[in-house]
């Protein structure tokens, strides 16, 4: 099963939210612990004061120890909370007053300052303060232990209220952290998006090194991207060089073979041999034409994504191509009529020339002898190159089928061709942002129109 990748933004937001959640939990328990300690310290202070007040009221005499419980000691305890209060006063081994079952301190011994401890008492938990004093009875020292206890419900209630407020603060902090996480994630991802936009705005032909300002952390990515662009630029250059060399090395031997075969055919006196040589010449012509169109198509594919952006004088280009095809047209007793006007477009001269060459070649191939191929160049909203002939026409076939690779018309079986000519024209038009139209001509024949954006 293929796992769906998680975006960097989502991953960063989740990490920040996780940290915020942990901090909120730590805040809650920290505040709760501090609140418990503060409440306990407050209760201990009040219990210690009450215990010391009772201890100060102890008096010795000939008959024993007497104590006058001060009212203010218990009023202080009552002012803090509504908890129950217990006390116990022991003189020697005897309980003078109070609750005799109140737990004594865990460690025996006199203490001038109060000793605090927590113990279970009467199905609840109480906080106890104990202080020891020595009182003279009949001129003899008698140890007296004073204990004051208070339940912890009030302390728990205070701690709970503080903890609830801490929870609210924690949730608020988490919500604020969530919003800040989204802003932080956006700020962290923004340089990457800017880099992607800068690279995306480049045209296909722009293979310069990327020098967009980026954070230090993105420098390895920029270095790797520039390395890839350099390798791609080298690969494209090698491809173009290979295509040019292949065109030369393929066409030259085929031209030599054709020339030798034509010489041999003229010198041969055997009709059978002459027929064989005609078949060889025809095969060489087919191979040469197919190789030429395959190389033209490879050139179009290689350059379509990185067109040479240069001004192209279409008038001169049309006239030059018409003159180049005049010998071929003369062999079929055809006339090439040229009508042009000054037109300049911005594009790739080599690709436009390849498209025009294929249009004229198709018109000559399918035109009957003693007819005219009309070549017209018109300037307007778009530059229009029109090639019209009086050939076989489309026979009702759609343009979309005829412009497919290696597709040929049903009425073209006896004519040498590879089925790439119209494909090259359509792809050149698309690469330049233009369009290509192929229609039946009134009175017979075909009219091909190539539209290119004017400069």
């Amino acid at each position: 099963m293929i796992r769906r990748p998680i975006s960097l933004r989502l991953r960063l937001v989740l990490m920040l939210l996780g940290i915020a959640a942990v901090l909120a939990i730590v805040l809650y328990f920290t505040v709760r612990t501090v609140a418990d300690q503060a409440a306990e310290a407050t209760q201990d202070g009040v219990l210690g004061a009450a215990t010391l007040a009772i201890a100060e009221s102890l008096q010795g005499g000939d008959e024993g120890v007497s104590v006058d419980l001060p009212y203010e000691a218990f009023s202080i305890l009552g002012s803090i909370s509504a908890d129950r209060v217990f006390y116990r006063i022991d003189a020697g081994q005897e309980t003078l007053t109070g609750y005799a079952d109140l737990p004594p301190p865990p460690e025996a011994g006199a203490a001038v300052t109060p000793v605090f401890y927590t113990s279970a008492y009467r199905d609840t938990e109480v906080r106890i303060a104990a202080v020891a004093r020595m009182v003279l009875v009949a001129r003899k020292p008698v140890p007296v232990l004073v204990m004051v206890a208070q339940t912890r419900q009030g302390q728990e209630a205070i701690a709970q209220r503080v903890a609830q407020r801490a929870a609210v603060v924690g949730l608020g902090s988490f919500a604020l952290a969530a919003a800040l996480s989204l802003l932080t994630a956006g700020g962290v991802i923004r340089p990457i998006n800017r880099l992607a936009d800068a690279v995306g705005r480049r045209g296909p032909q722009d293979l310069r090194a990327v020098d967009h300002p980026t954070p230090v952390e993105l420098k390895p990515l920029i270095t790797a991207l520039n390395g890839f662009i350099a390798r791609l630029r080298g690969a494209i250059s090698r491809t173009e060089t290979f295509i040019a060399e292949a065109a030369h090395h393929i066409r030259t031997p085929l031209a030599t073979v054709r020339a030798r075969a034509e010489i041999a055919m003229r010198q041969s006196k055997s009709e059978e041999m002459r027929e064989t040589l005609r078949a060889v010449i025809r095969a060489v012509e087919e191979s040469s034409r197919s190789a030429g169109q395959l190389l033209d198509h490879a050139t179009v594919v290689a350059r379509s994504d990185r067109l040479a952006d240069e001004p192209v004088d279409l008038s001169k280009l049309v006239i030059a191509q018409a003159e180049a095809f005049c010998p071929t047209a003369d062999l079929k007793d055809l006339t090439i009529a040229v009508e042009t006007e000054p037109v300049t477009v911005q594009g790739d001269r080599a690709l436009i020339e390849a498209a025009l060459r294929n249009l004229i070649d198709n018109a000559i191939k399918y035109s009957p002898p003693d007819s005219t191929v009309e070549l017209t160049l018109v300037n307007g909203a778009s530059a229009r190159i029109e090639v019209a002939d009086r050939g076989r026409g489309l026979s009702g076939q759609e343009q979309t089928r005829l412009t497919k690779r290696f597709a040929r018309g049903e009425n073209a079986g006896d004519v040498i061709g590879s089925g790439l000519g119209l494909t090259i024209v359509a792809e050149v038009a698309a690469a330049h942002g233009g369009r290509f139209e192929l229609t039946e001509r009134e009175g017979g024949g075909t009219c091909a129109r190539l539209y290119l954006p004017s400069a």
Side-chain angles (χ1 to χ4, degrees):
M1 182 178 180
I2 300 177
R3 295 182 60 185
R4 188 174 182 180
I6 302 177
S7 68
L8 289 177
R9 183 191 299 272
L10 179 58
R11 187 176 300 178
L12 183 58
V13 169
L14 291 177
M15 292 177 63
L16 293 175
L17 289 180
I19 295 173
V22 171
L23 292 178
I25 294 173
V26 171
L27 173 64
Y28 171 79
F29 283 106
T30 300
V31 173
R32 178 62 187 264
T33 301
V34 172
D36 287 340
Q37 293 175 351
E40 185 175 273
T42 301
Q43 188 178 31
D44 287 351
V46 175
L47 280 174
T51 305
L52 289 175
I54 295 175
E56 293 301 327
S57 65
L58 294 174
Q59 294 180 358
D62 293 336
E63 297 180 357
V65 179
S66 63
V67 59
D68 184 11
L69 295 176
Y71 171 77
E72 60 273 11
F74 296 101
S75 64
I76 294 175
L77 293 174
S79 64
I80 299 299
S81 64
D83 286 327
R84 292 177 294 168
V85 178
F86 309 94
Y87 68 93
R88 175 181 175 182
I89 301 176
D90 290 349
Q93 300 298 322
E94 182 182 355
T95 299
L96 297 180
T97 183
Y99 298 84
D101 55 348
L102 190 65
E107 296 181 1
V112 177
T113 58
V115 176
F116 302 97
Y117 57 98
T118 303
S119 180
Y121 181 67
R122 296 193 177 184
D123 298 329
T124 187
E125 191 177 72
V126 294
R127 185 69 172 170
I128 306 173
V131 65
R133 288 288 188 270
M134 298 299 293
V135 179
L136 294 176
V137 177
R139 299 182 180 181
K140 293 182 179 180
V142 176
V144 179
L145 180 62
V146 179
M147 293 173 287
V148 177
Q150 188 177 28
T151 56
R152 298 170 59 89
Q153 282 82 5
Q155 176 185 340
E156 291 291 340
I158 295 173
Q160 187 64 32
R161 286 196 299 270
V162 174
Q164 288 176 355
R165 293 177 182 176
V168 172
V169 172
L171 290 176
S173 301
F174 180 79
L176 179 60
L180 294 177
S181 298
L182 294 174
L183 294 176
T184 302
V188 172
I189 300 299
R190 191 172 296 114
I192 301 177
N193 293 334
R194 289 176 179 172
L195 174 62
D197 291 340
V199 176
R201 285 194 300 268
R202 290 186 168 203
Q205 71 278 7
D206 190 354
L207 293 179
R208 297 171 300 165
V210 178
D211 58 355
H212 186 77
T214 56
V216 177
E217 291 77 8
L218 292 180
K219 292 297 182 183
L221 175 61
I222 297 297
T223 302
L225 182 60
N226 287 335
F228 172 76
I229 291 175
R231 294 193 299 272
L232 178 61
R233 186 168 54 243
I236 292 176
S237 178
R238 289 192 297 270
T239 300
E240 293 179 349
T241 302
F242 170 77
I243 291 174
E245 292 178 351
H248 172 73
H249 288 290
I250 291 176
R251 287 170 176 165
T252 301
L254 290 176
T256 302
V257 171
R258 178 177 178 177
R260 293 292 182 90
E262 288 178 348
I263 294 172
M265 186 177 67
R266 294 191 188 100
Q267 295 176 350
S268 177
K269 297 181 181 179
S270 170
E271 185 61 31
E272 183 178 350
M273 180 59 68
R274 291 168 66 87
E275 187 65 30
T276 301
L277 290 173
R278 288 191 190 97
V280 171
I281 293 172
R282 181 180 176 85
V284 170
E285 287 179 352
E286 290 182 355
S287 300
S288 179
R289 184 179 297 275
S290 297
Q293 288 193 325
L294 283 171
L295 292 170
D296 281 347
H297 184 259
T299 302
V300 171
V301 172
R303 296 171 68 100
S304 291
D305 288 339
R306 47 191 303 271
L307 299 177
D309 191 16
E310 59 183 358
V312 180
D313 189 336
L314 287 184
S315 179
K316 291 182 179 180
L317 188 62
V318 168
I319 293 172
Q321 287 300 310
E323 292 175 352
F325 276 93
C326 278
T328 305
D330 292 341
L331 293 176
K332 293 187 65 175
D333 296 326
L334 296 175
T335 301
I336 300 179
V338 181
E339 183 180 348
T340 67
E341 57 183 78
V343 180
T344 301
V345 298
Q346 199 77 11
D348 194 309
R349 179 185 180 87
L351 296 191
I352 297 174
E353 184 177 356
L356 183 58
R357 185 169 57 247
N358 279 278
L359 286 177
I360 299 174
D361 181 62
N362 268 4
I364 292 175
K365 280 194 307 182
Y366 297 109
S367 293
D370 299 320
S371 62
T372 301
V373 174
E374 299 176 8
L375 185 56
T376 307
L377 174 61
V378 180
N379 192 14
S382 297
R384 186 185 75 204
I385 302 175
E386 185 175 299
V387 180
D389 62 61
R390 290 296 180 184
R392 305 179 182 185
L394 303 180
S395 299
Q397 299 175 82
E398 296 182 358
Q399 175 181 334
T400 53
R401 178 186 177 278
L402 294 176
T403 53
K404 291 182 178 179
R405 294 179 184 177
F406 307 109
R408 303 194 65 200
E410 297 176 356
N411 58 353
D414 60 333
V415 180
I416 297 174
S418 63
L420 284 173
L422 297 181
T423 303
I424 292 172
V425 178
E427 290 182 353
V428 169
H432 285 81
R435 70 181 191 278
F436 173 56
E437 293 179 356
L438 192 64
T439 59
E440 292 274 5
R441 190 180 181 190
E442 187 176 352
T446 306
C447 183
R449 298 183 183 90
L450 174 62
Y451 295 87
L452 298 172
S454 298

PDB file of all heavy atoms in Angstrom, residues 101-122:
ATOM      1  N   ASP A 101      -7.995  10.919  70.628  1.00  0.00           N
ATOM      2  CA  ASP A 101      -7.546  10.010  69.569  1.00  0.00           C
ATOM      3  C   ASP A 101      -6.891  10.744  68.397  1.00  0.00           C
ATOM      4  O   ASP A 101      -6.626  10.147  67.353  1.00  0.00           O
ATOM      5  CB  ASP A 101      -8.718   9.191  69.038  1.00  0.00           C
ATOM      6  CG  ASP A 101      -9.873  10.076  68.552  1.00  0.00           C
ATOM      7  OD1 ASP A 101      -9.839  11.284  68.833  1.00  0.00           O
ATOM      8  OD2 ASP A 101     -10.785   9.546  67.869  1.00  0.00           O
ATOM      9  N   LEU A 102      -6.639  12.041  68.577  1.00  0.00           N
ATOM     10  CA  LEU A 102      -5.968  12.793  67.500  1.00  0.00           C
ATOM     11  C   LEU A 102      -4.546  12.268  67.380  1.00  0.00           C
ATOM     12  O   LEU A 102      -3.820  12.183  68.368  1.00  0.00           O
ATOM     13  CB  LEU A 102      -5.957  14.291  67.838  1.00  0.00           C
ATOM     14  CG  LEU A 102      -5.502  15.225  66.706  1.00  0.00           C
ATOM     15  CD1 LEU A 102      -6.482  15.177  65.540  1.00  0.00           C
ATOM     16  CD2 LEU A 102      -5.389  16.666  67.238  1.00  0.00           C
ATOM     17  N   PRO A 103      -4.097  11.889  66.181  1.00  0.00           N
ATOM     18  CA  PRO A 103      -2.775  11.247  66.024  1.00  0.00           C
ATOM     19  C   PRO A 103      -1.647  12.156  66.465  1.00  0.00           C
ATOM     20  O   PRO A 103      -1.616  13.343  66.100  1.00  0.00           O
ATOM     21  CB  PRO A 103      -2.694  10.953  64.515  1.00  0.00           C
ATOM     22  CG  PRO A 103      -4.112  10.936  64.034  1.00  0.00           C
ATOM     23  CD  PRO A 103      -4.832  11.948  64.889  1.00  0.00           C
ATOM     24  N   PRO A 104      -0.699  11.644  67.281  1.00  0.00           N
ATOM     25  CA  PRO A 104       0.454  12.432  67.712  1.00  0.00           C
ATOM     26  C   PRO A 104       1.477  12.541  66.573  1.00  0.00           C
ATOM     27  O   PRO A 104       1.352  11.886  65.548  1.00  0.00           O
ATOM     28  CB  PRO A 104       1.004  11.617  68.878  1.00  0.00           C
ATOM     29  CG  PRO A 104       0.619  10.211  68.550  1.00  0.00           C
ATOM     30  CD  PRO A 104      -0.694  10.280  67.857  1.00  0.00           C
ATOM     31  N   PRO A 105       2.508  13.353  66.738  1.00  0.00           N
ATOM     32  CA  PRO A 105       3.538  13.472  65.698  1.00  0.00           C
ATOM     33  C   PRO A 105       4.226  12.132  65.469  1.00  0.00           C
ATOM     34  O   PRO A 105       4.355  11.315  66.394  1.00  0.00           O
ATOM     35  CB  PRO A 105       4.508  14.511  66.268  1.00  0.00           C
ATOM     36  CG  PRO A 105       3.732  15.249  67.289  1.00  0.00           C
ATOM     37  CD  PRO A 105       2.750  14.279  67.873  1.00  0.00           C
ATOM     38  N   PRO A 106       4.655  11.877  64.234  1.00  0.00           N
ATOM     39  CA  PRO A 106       5.310  10.594  63.948  1.00  0.00           C
ATOM     40  C   PRO A 106       6.628  10.445  64.687  1.00  0.00           C
ATOM     41  O   PRO A 106       7.048   9.322  64.965  1.00  0.00           O
ATOM     42  CB  PRO A 106       5.516  10.629  62.422  1.00  0.00           C
ATOM     43  CG  PRO A 106       5.454  12.075  62.052  1.00  0.00           C
ATOM     44  CD  PRO A 106       4.525  12.726  63.034  1.00  0.00           C
ATOM     45  N   GLU A 107       7.295  11.563  65.005  1.00  0.00           N
ATOM     46  CA  GLU A 107       8.552  11.503  65.726  1.00  0.00           C
ATOM     47  C   GLU A 107       8.356  12.176  67.073  1.00  0.00           C
ATOM     48  O   GLU A 107       7.961  13.340  67.154  1.00  0.00           O
ATOM     49  CB  GLU A 107       9.671  12.211  64.940  1.00  0.00           C
ATOM     50  CG  GLU A 107       9.984  11.539  63.603  1.00  0.00           C
ATOM     51  CD  GLU A 107      11.112  12.246  62.870  1.00  0.00           C
ATOM     52  OE1 GLU A 107      11.643  13.235  63.429  1.00  0.00           O
ATOM     53  OE2 GLU A 107      11.453  11.816  61.753  1.00  0.00           O
ATOM     54  N   ALA A 108       8.633  11.441  68.146  1.00  0.00           N
ATOM     55  CA  ALA A 108       8.453  11.994  69.492  1.00  0.00           C
ATOM     56  C   ALA A 108       9.584  12.960  69.805  1.00  0.00           C
ATOM     57  O   ALA A 108      10.670  12.885  69.248  1.00  0.00           O
ATOM     58  CB  ALA A 108       8.424  10.854  70.514  1.00  0.00           C
ATOM     59  N   GLY A 109       9.322  13.841  70.734  1.00  0.00           N
ATOM     60  CA  GLY A 109      10.348  14.793  71.153  1.00  0.00           C
ATOM     61  C   GLY A 109       9.792  16.198  71.209  1.00  0.00           C
ATOM     62  O   GLY A 109       8.841  16.538  70.508  1.00  0.00           O
ATOM     63  N   ALA A 110      10.390  17.043  72.056  1.00  0.00           N
ATOM     64  CA  ALA A 110       9.937  18.420  72.198  1.00  0.00           C
ATOM     65  C   ALA A 110      10.377  19.232  71.003  1.00  0.00           C
ATOM     66  O   ALA A 110      11.421  18.991  70.414  1.00  0.00           O
ATOM     67  CB  ALA A 110      10.486  19.008  73.477  1.00  0.00           C
ATOM     68  N   ALA A 111       9.566  20.186  70.614  1.00  0.00           N
ATOM     69  CA  ALA A 111       9.889  21.082  69.499  1.00  0.00           C
ATOM     70  C   ALA A 111       9.373  22.459  69.844  1.00  0.00           C
ATOM     71  O   ALA A 111       8.207  22.621  70.199  1.00  0.00           O
ATOM     72  CB  ALA A 111       9.268  20.566  68.193  1.00  0.00           C
ATOM     73  N   VAL A 112      10.248  23.440  69.772  1.00  0.00           N
ATOM     74  CA  VAL A 112       9.841  24.803  70.081  1.00  0.00           C
ATOM     75  C   VAL A 112       8.996  25.368  68.966  1.00  0.00           C
ATOM     76  O   VAL A 112       8.001  26.050  69.195  1.00  0.00           O
ATOM     77  CB  VAL A 112      11.086  25.683  70.334  1.00  0.00           C
ATOM     78  CG1 VAL A 112      10.674  27.130  70.594  1.00  0.00           C
ATOM     79  CG2 VAL A 112      11.896  25.135  71.498  1.00  0.00           C
ATOM     80  N   THR A 113       9.413  25.069  67.725  1.00  0.00           N
ATOM     81  CA  THR A 113       8.627  25.514  66.569  1.00  0.00           C
ATOM     82  C   THR A 113       7.654  24.422  66.187  1.00  0.00           C
ATOM     83  O   THR A 113       7.891  23.231  66.427  1.00  0.00           O
ATOM     84  CB  THR A 113       9.549  25.824  65.382  1.00  0.00           C
ATOM     85  OG1 THR A 113      10.300  24.661  65.048  1.00  0.00           O
ATOM     86  CG2 THR A 113      10.506  26.965  65.729  1.00  0.00           C
ATOM     87  N   PRO A 114       6.531  24.780  65.567  1.00  0.00           N
ATOM     88  CA  PRO A 114       5.523  23.773  65.218  1.00  0.00           C
ATOM     89  C   PRO A 114       6.053  22.742  64.216  1.00  0.00           C
ATOM     90  O   PRO A 114       6.845  23.051  63.324  1.00  0.00           O
ATOM     91  CB  PRO A 114       4.387  24.599  64.628  1.00  0.00           C
ATOM     92  CG  PRO A 114       4.584  25.983  65.156  1.00  0.00           C
ATOM     93  CD  PRO A 114       6.056  26.149  65.283  1.00  0.00           C
ATOM     94  N   VAL A 115       5.613  21.527  64.402  1.00  0.00           N
ATOM     95  CA  VAL A 115       5.891  20.420  63.472  1.00  0.00           C
ATOM     96  C   VAL A 115       4.598  20.106  62.729  1.00  0.00           C
ATOM     97  O   VAL A 115       3.546  19.921  63.357  1.00  0.00           O
ATOM     98  CB  VAL A 115       6.406  19.182  64.235  1.00  0.00           C
ATOM     99  CG1 VAL A 115       6.598  18.010  63.293  1.00  0.00           C
ATOM    100  CG2 VAL A 115       7.707  19.515  64.956  1.00  0.00           C
ATOM    101  N   PHE A 116       4.670  20.016  61.406  1.00  0.00           N
ATOM    102  CA  PHE A 116       3.468  19.800  60.580  1.00  0.00           C
ATOM    103  C   PHE A 116       3.513  18.409  59.959  1.00  0.00           C
ATOM    104  O   PHE A 116       4.555  17.955  59.467  1.00  0.00           O
ATOM    105  CB  PHE A 116       3.375  20.865  59.480  1.00  0.00           C
ATOM    106  CG  PHE A 116       3.344  22.280  59.996  1.00  0.00           C
ATOM    107  CD1 PHE A 116       4.510  23.052  60.054  1.00  0.00           C
ATOM    108  CD2 PHE A 116       2.152  22.833  60.445  1.00  0.00           C
ATOM    109  CE1 PHE A 116       4.472  24.348  60.529  1.00  0.00           C
ATOM    110  CE2 PHE A 116       2.117  24.133  60.923  1.00  0.00           C
ATOM    111  CZ  PHE A 116       3.282  24.889  60.970  1.00  0.00           C
ATOM    112  N   TYR A 117       2.354  17.784  59.933  1.00  0.00           N
ATOM    113  CA  TYR A 117       2.243  16.464  59.303  1.00  0.00           C
ATOM    114  C   TYR A 117       0.788  16.241  58.925  1.00  0.00           C
ATOM    115  O   TYR A 117      -0.120  16.887  59.436  1.00  0.00           O
ATOM    116  CB  TYR A 117       2.762  15.361  60.219  1.00  0.00           C
ATOM    117  CG  TYR A 117       2.089  15.284  61.561  1.00  0.00           C
ATOM    118  CD1 TYR A 117       1.048  14.372  61.804  1.00  0.00           C
ATOM    119  CD2 TYR A 117       2.497  16.103  62.607  1.00  0.00           C
ATOM    120  CE1 TYR A 117       0.426  14.302  63.039  1.00  0.00           C
ATOM    121  CE2 TYR A 117       1.883  16.049  63.846  1.00  0.00           C
ATOM    122  CZ  TYR A 117       0.850  15.139  64.058  1.00  0.00           C
ATOM    123  OH  TYR A 117       0.233  15.067  65.276  1.00  0.00           O
ATOM    124  N   THR A 118       0.599  15.319  58.000  1.00  0.00           N
ATOM    125  CA  THR A 118      -0.739  14.986  57.503  1.00  0.00           C
ATOM    126  C   THR A 118      -1.076  13.567  57.915  1.00  0.00           C
ATOM    127  O   THR A 118      -0.231  12.662  57.805  1.00  0.00           O
ATOM    128  CB  THR A 118      -0.795  15.117  55.963  1.00  0.00           C
ATOM    129  OG1 THR A 118      -0.418  16.437  55.586  1.00  0.00           O
ATOM    130  CG2 THR A 118      -2.195  14.828  55.437  1.00  0.00           C
ATOM    131  N   SER A 119      -2.313  13.378  58.345  1.00  0.00           N
ATOM    132  CA  SER A 119      -2.706  12.050  58.811  1.00  0.00           C
ATOM    133  C   SER A 119      -4.188  11.844  58.552  1.00  0.00           C
ATOM    134  O   SER A 119      -4.962  12.819  58.408  1.00  0.00           O
ATOM    135  CB  SER A 119      -2.408  11.897  60.307  1.00  0.00           C
ATOM    136  OG  SER A 119      -2.796  10.615  60.760  1.00  0.00           O
ATOM    137  N   ALA A 120      -4.579  10.571  58.471  1.00  0.00           N
ATOM    138  CA  ALA A 120      -5.996  10.238  58.320  1.00  0.00           C
ATOM    139  C   ALA A 120      -6.655  10.269  59.690  1.00  0.00           C
ATOM    140  O   ALA A 120      -6.145   9.724  60.666  1.00  0.00           O
ATOM    141  CB  ALA A 120      -6.143   8.852  57.694  1.00  0.00           C
ATOM    142  N   TYR A 121      -7.831  10.900  59.743  1.00  0.00           N
ATOM    143  CA  TYR A 121      -8.531  11.010  61.017  1.00  0.00           C
ATOM    144  C   TYR A 121     -10.020  11.125  60.731  1.00  0.00           C
ATOM    145  O   TYR A 121     -10.457  12.029  60.009  1.00  0.00           O
ATOM    146  CB  TYR A 121      -8.029  12.234  61.791  1.00  0.00           C
ATOM    147  CG  TYR A 121      -8.669  12.422  63.141  1.00  0.00           C
ATOM    148  CD1 TYR A 121      -8.438  11.500  64.171  1.00  0.00           C
ATOM    149  CD2 TYR A 121      -9.509  13.509  63.402  1.00  0.00           C
ATOM    150  CE1 TYR A 121      -9.025  11.671  65.407  1.00  0.00           C
ATOM    151  CE2 TYR A 121     -10.102  13.688  64.636  1.00  0.00           C
ATOM    152  CZ  TYR A 121      -9.858  12.754  65.648  1.00  0.00           C
ATOM    153  OH  TYR A 121     -10.438  12.919  66.871  1.00  0.00           O
ATOM    154  N   ARG A 122     -10.766  10.209  61.340  1.00  0.00           N
ATOM    155  CA  ARG A 122     -12.223  10.202  61.239  1.00  0.00           C
ATOM    156  C   ARG A 122     -12.701  10.261  59.765  1.00  0.00           C
ATOM    157  O   ARG A 122     -13.424  11.152  59.356  1.00  0.00           O
ATOM    158  CB  ARG A 122     -12.838  11.346  62.039  1.00  0.00           C
ATOM    159  CG  ARG A 122     -12.585  11.215  63.532  1.00  0.00           C
ATOM    160  CD  ARG A 122     -13.461  12.158  64.327  1.00  0.00           C
ATOM    161  NE  ARG A 122     -13.241  11.956  65.766  1.00  0.00           N
ATOM    162  CZ  ARG A 122     -13.910  12.586  66.720  1.00  0.00           C
ATOM    163  NH1 ARG A 122     -14.858  13.465  66.370  1.00  0.00           N
ATOM    164  NH2 ARG A 122     -13.655  12.355  67.995  1.00  0.00           N
TER     165      ARG A 122
END
